[in-house]
Amino acid sequence: GDSVTQMEGPVTLSEEAFLTINCTYTATGYPSLFWYVQYPGEGLQLLLKATKADDKGSNKGFEATYRKETTSFHLEKGSVQVSDSAVYFCALSDDYKLSFGAGTTVTVRA
Amino acid sequence: DAGITQSPRHKVTETGTPVTLRCHQTENHRYMYWYRQDPGHGLRLIHYSYGVKDTDKGEVSDGYSVSRSKTEDFLLTLESATSSQTSVYFCAISPGQGKDEQFFGPGTRLTVL
């Protein structure tokens, strides 16, 4: 079945550092790919998405490119802020359901 | 923000008691979902609904039942709560256009003693 594997955390960075969170997937079809973010005590918010190969999703300085050849959707941000501290989830949808990675906790220190 | 509310937001109950969690949406979306979130597991799908009175099981459905009598409400019931059902429960909705994103509610923290 469909599955998502993302790098384990926690990840701790200094402000203005470069962030990358690796995500790879297994799917039988051609899924849509998503990154969700969860701030402490809140629900999940959609951060960005890509619906086909070579699409780049971007939002709030974050980017991820749908790479079919490597079945990957790595999340990147060039300069993180303390406010980016959160849990990040990679997910895919190949039908009406989402499959999630385990989540990566990111802490940004001032 | 998508109009999704969950109630209650927090609940503490004892083993063996029934518990019902409610999800309410104002978006008129066709699909509704219940997930549980546990450390190291991400979110796992419990049940979902694709219309009024139309529901199906997810990957961790044992011990849970659902009902959807109106488009806007999706109920999750634990018939006899166990300590292994201590978790944070999230409702989500989707318009149902295929491989859509889902929009999540604020969550319910359930503790079973």
Side-chain angles (χ1 to χ4, degrees):
Chain A
D2 296 346
S3 66
V4 175
T5 302
Q6 64 182 100
M7 64 182 281
E8 294 185 13
V11 174
T12 302
L13 303 165
S14 298
E15 240 180 349
E16 300 184 1
F18 182 85
L19 170 67
T20 183
I21 304 175
N22 290 338
C23 172
T24 58
Y25 68 90
T26 302
T28 53
Y30 301 94
S32 294
L33 301 174
F34 308 91
W35 278 100
Y36 282 85
V37 59
Q38 184 180 32
Y39 300 104
E42 299 184 8
L44 276 72
Q45 301 175 24
L46 178 67
L47 181 59
L48 53 84
K49 70 176 183 180
T51 58
K52 62 183 186 297
D54 300 325
D55 269 2
K56 177 185 282 188
S58 61
N59 186 25
K60 300 181 180 179
F62 289 90
E63 294 183 341
T65 301
Y66 190 141
R67 300 289 188 198
K68 185 172 181 292
E69 63 276 13
T70 55
T71 61
S72 65
F73 193 55
H74 305 321
L75 182 68
E76 297 181 337
K77 186 174 185 181
S79 177
V80 294
Q81 306 299 313
V82 172
S83 57
D84 294 324
S85 297
V87 182
Y88 293 83
F89 293 94
C90 186
L92 71 81
S93 177
D94 203 14
D95 48 26
Y96 296 97
K97 294 177 282 185
L98 283 176
S99 297
F100 285 89
T104 303
T105 300
V106 174
T107 302
V108 181
R109 294 180 174 169
Chain B
D1 290 343
I4 312 169
T5 56
Q6 294 184 230
S7 58
R9 294 293 314 279
H10 302 272
K11 186 171 182 66
V12 179
T13 191
E14 294 188 351
T15 297
T17 60
V19 177
T20 296
L21 309 183
R22 179 180 183 242
C23 176
H24 179 79
Q25 61 147 328
T26 58
E27 306 295 320
N28 200 36
H29 282 349
R30 178 183 175 193
Y31 279 73
M32 299 185 75
Y33 306 81
W34 278 107
Y35 293 89
R36 59 178 289 172
Q37 182 179 25
D38 303 291
H41 290 279
L43 275 76
R44 293 180 291 175
L45 182 64
I46 304 171
H47 282 279
Y48 68 101
S49 168
Y50 48 96
V52 174
K53 298 186 179 179
D54 293 322
T55 65
D56 205 351
K57 296 178 180 180
E59 62 178 301
V60 290
S61 60
D62 287 349
Y64 301 94
S65 63
V66 290
S67 65
R68 190 170 180 197
S69 58
K70 298 184 290 185
T71 298
E72 58 266 34
D73 289 326
F74 192 33
L75 304 181
L76 177 70
T77 298
L78 291 65
E79 301 290 347
S80 178
T82 68
S83 58
S84 64
Q85 294 176 311
T86 293
S87 187
V88 181
Y89 291 86
F90 287 99
C91 174
I93 64 175
S94 172
Q97 301 299 320
K99 305 172 188 179
D100 282 341
E101 63 265 39
Q102 295 176 16
F103 304 96
F104 285 79
T108 294
R109 183 172 295 276
L110 175 67
T111 302
V112 183
L113 301 176

